[in-house]
Amino acid sequence: MNLEKTATEANDIMLVRSSHGRARVTHAVVVIFLEFFAWGLLTTPMLTVLHETFPQHTFLMNGLVHGVKGFLSFLSAPLIGALSDIWGRKSFLLMTVFFTCAPIPFMRISPWWYFALISVSGIFAVTFSVIFAYVADITEEHERSTAYGLVSATFAASLVTSPAIGAYLSAQYGDSLVVLVATVIAVADIAFVFFVVPESLPDKMRLTSWGFPISWEQADPFASLRRVGKDTTVLLICVTVFLSYLPEAGQYSSFFLYLRQVIEFSPASIAAFIAMVGILSIVAQTLFLSVLMRTIGNKNTVLLGLGFQLFQLAWYGFGSEPWMMWAAGTVAAMSSITFPAVSALVSHCASPDQQGVAQGMITGIRGLCNGLGPALYGFIFFLFNVELDDMHPVAGRPTQKIEKSVIPGPPFLFGACTVLFALIVAVFIPEHHRLAEAKTCSTRKSSSTSTAHAQSASPLATPTSDAEDIEPLLQDSSM
């Protein structure tokens, strides 16, 4: 009976992947592209609205707004990931896209409501978590690193032209038109998810879980962090993600402001910079990532990406001239291979019915970084008195300039230090789980196949031994 049930579940998965033929990686790619293309259009208007709303301590307030959003994402990611494992991906994909894009029209309606909604939208702003679980449902293990690279490259592709288009429309027709276009694209993305995107999780895998409710243990993000400590491999991966994404989150929230104020980039230069980094990131995450994964392996690809990120952040920290930023941007594009490589590493180790939980855990760590990183960068900028003194200089009047210092970008140098620690930690990540851990997983699978999915869906199932209670979340993908 157990063998029959296992065969039936495997059949279901293959049905979604092959003969069902509806759920495809291209669905995930379109959803990500439209969502971030809409936000990319708002790059220039965002700088203006941010300075007009918070004329004093702009960097600090920007960090706090994005910090609240990131911390809420951290709190909600485990629950959304676990629920999507049971009720399917589509409904939660629809929810995350809707609430992530909801603040866009309020940029012109009410800036205060806009920033308030950005903060609160963090509860559902975990699109990448659901997307990566969606991709894991419909791809084989050997295909996932390439698929994750494609999804991450799509994020970069969405930013290749959208900031430039947004800057042009803003200069020619005003910010209101840019916000309108972004809103239309966001609505189109929501409609695409609702009408076109199919469910990726096999029906029977979802239906057999309806009787098992989600407990507080699964919804508690701090519980997932405590569970991380029970498995060495998971702990090392999560610490690496935290230390490497903390500066990336801070950089993403404030770098365009930094280019505008300290390096004195024009809006056109900022748009061109984003386009260059986006194009190079696409090449890195599609061509180079797949080659590196095949030649040097998953772990070494992560280490290489962290090395590029360390070099990039150090260059941002000490660079004081525009050409230095352009050069460091090329290195930044190569560092973009890190996250898809880490996601592939996690996915290869997680069981099919734990993809949402595993990716939700990583997204939760990133959400925590999205809370701490912007706030930390904003505070460091505040400590060094970096502010937006004059966004629109008047003709004939010299713009106030910040004195060039030995370290023009202190937050970026701090980020380089944290990435150095991430690189050291990542060295100790094993290529595979230890044999003892894998054996524990294998023993449990062979002895209780009929209840495996139920136990993964709900911690209410009674463990039969202490060994099960400390079973690693991630399992050896070779089992």
Side-chain angles (χ1 to χ4, degrees):
M1 176 64 76
N2 289 343
L3 291 176
E4 285 180 7
K5 183 170 182 180
T6 304
T8 302
E9 290 182 355
N11 245 358
D12 263 349
I13 295 174
M14 293 307 297
L15 187 65
V16 169
R17 289 177 180 166
S18 56
S19 61
H20 194 25
R22 292 186 295 118
R24 302 178 186 278
V25 176
T26 50
H27 291 117
V29 165
V30 172
V31 171
I32 289 294
F33 180 84
L34 291 177
E35 178 177 320
F36 288 98
F37 187 88
W39 279 105
L41 290 172
L42 301 176
T43 302
T44 298
M46 167 81 82
L47 298 179
T48 304
V49 172
L50 186 64
H51 182 55
E52 289 176 351
T53 308
F54 306 110
Q56 299 296 321
H57 311 312
T58 308
F59 277 105
L60 181 62
M61 294 307 299
N62 175 62
L64 292 177
V65 168
H66 286 90
V68 172
K69 176 182 178 180
F71 189 70
L72 290 177
S73 295
F74 163 72
L75 295 177
S76 65
L79 175 61
I80 292 179
L83 287 174
S84 74
D85 280 335
I86 292 178
W87 294 335
R89 315 295 185 201
K90 179 172 180 175
S91 56
F92 289 94
L93 191 57
L94 182 65
M95 183 186 304
T96 57
V97 172
F98 175 81
F99 283 100
T100 301
C101 296
I104 291 178
F106 287 89
M107 179 178 280
R108 298 309 297 170
I109 297 173
S110 171
W112 282 100
W113 272 105
Y114 168 72
F115 288 109
L117 286 175
I118 282 183
S119 300
V120 177
S121 70
I123 298 174
F124 299 100
V126 290
T127 307
F128 267 106
S129 173
V130 183
I131 282 291
F132 279 138
Y134 187 96
V135 170
D137 293 337
I138 57 178
T139 55
E140 301 291 348
E141 279 188 14
H142 66 277
E143 303 170 329
R144 284 180 194 160
S145 60
T146 302
Y148 287 157
L150 181 62
V151 172
S152 297
T154 301
F155 165 72
S158 68
L159 298 178
V160 169
T161 56
S162 57
I165 294 173
Y168 174 79
L169 293 176
S170 176
Q172 296 294 320
Y173 305 103
D175 290 347
S176 296
L177 180 64
V178 182
V179 174
L180 177 61
V181 173
T183 302
V184 171
I185 293 174
V187 171
D189 193 18
I190 295 169
F192 179 80
V193 175
F194 187 80
F195 293 108
V196 180
V197 174
E199 179 55 59
S200 65
L201 200 62
D203 290 340
K204 288 190 177 179
M205 186 175 287
R206 287 185 285 128
L207 291 174
T208 54
S209 305
W210 276 96
F212 299 93
I214 295 294
S215 70
W216 169 246
E217 182 72 14
Q218 287 173 287
D220 180 10
F222 299 99
S224 68
L225 292 182
R226 289 191 294 269
R227 189 166 63 248
V228 162
K230 296 179 180 180
D231 184 284
T232 306
T233 301
V234 179
L235 178 61
L236 291 173
I237 291 175
C238 288
V239 171
T240 300
V241 170
F242 178 81
L243 292 175
S244 63
Y245 194 70
L246 182 68
E248 186 175 336
Q251 172 189 317
Y252 183 77
S253 69
S254 60
F255 188 60
F256 301 143
L257 291 174
Y258 179 77
L259 289 178
R260 182 79 172 265
Q261 171 67 12
V262 180
I263 310 299
E264 299 178 345
F265 269 39
S266 66
S269 297
I270 292 175
F273 181 90
I274 297 171
M276 182 203 72
V277 175
I279 292 172
L280 294 178
S281 296
I282 294 170
V283 176
Q285 295 174 14
T286 52
L287 178 61
F288 290 143
L289 179 64
S290 58
V291 172
L292 290 171
M293 294 288 283
R294 287 195 303 268
T295 55
I296 66 175
N298 205 324
K299 174 186 171 180
N300 290 329
T301 302
V302 173
L303 293 175
L304 183 62
L306 290 174
F308 281 120
Q309 186 181 6
L310 173 62
F311 185 38
Q312 160 227 330
L313 287 169
W315 207 341
Y316 282 161
F318 287 108
S320 58
E321 300 296 331
W323 71 266
M324 296 180 178
M325 297 298 106
W326 287 97
T330 61
V331 181
M334 286 303 300
S335 71
S336 65
I337 64 176
T338 305
F339 181 61
V342 169
S343 296
L345 183 63
V346 171
S347 178
H348 288 169
C349 296
S351 59
D353 60 344
Q354 286 284 307
Q355 292 295 330
V357 172
Q359 297 297 339
M361 176 186 64
I362 297 301
T363 302
I365 298 293
R366 285 165 60 91
L368 183 60
C369 293
N370 281 329
L372 297 177
L376 186 61
Y377 268 48
F379 183 66
I380 296 175
F381 275 125
F382 172 72
L383 286 180
F384 284 82
N385 298 313
V386 180
E387 296 296 340
L388 295 180
D389 296 320
D390 193 357
M391 287 283 288
H392 304 286
V394 178
R397 191 182 71 186
T399 304
Q400 286 184 316
K401 291 186 66 175
I402 296 175
E403 276 187 40
K404 300 292 183 183
S405 60
V406 178
I407 307 176
F412 304 108
L413 190 59
F414 169 82
C417 294
T418 66
V419 173
L420 177 61
F421 285 114
L423 190 60
I424 295 172
V425 171
V427 169
F428 296 96
I429 297 176
E431 293 287 351
H432 301 286
H433 263 309
R434 294 186 300 272
L435 181 60
E437 292 176 341
K439 189 173 181 181
T440 301
C441 298
S442 178
T443 302
R444 183 184 177 194
K445 280 187 174 181
S446 60
S447 62
S448 57
T449 306
S450 62
T451 59
H453 182 66
Q455 288 181 352
S456 70
S458 172
L460 295 178
T462 306
T464 57
S465 68
D466 292 339
E468 288 182 5
D469 194 34
I470 60 172
E471 179 191 2
L473 173 64
L474 304 187
Q475 303 171 10
D476 191 342
S477 60
S478 65
M479 296 305 296

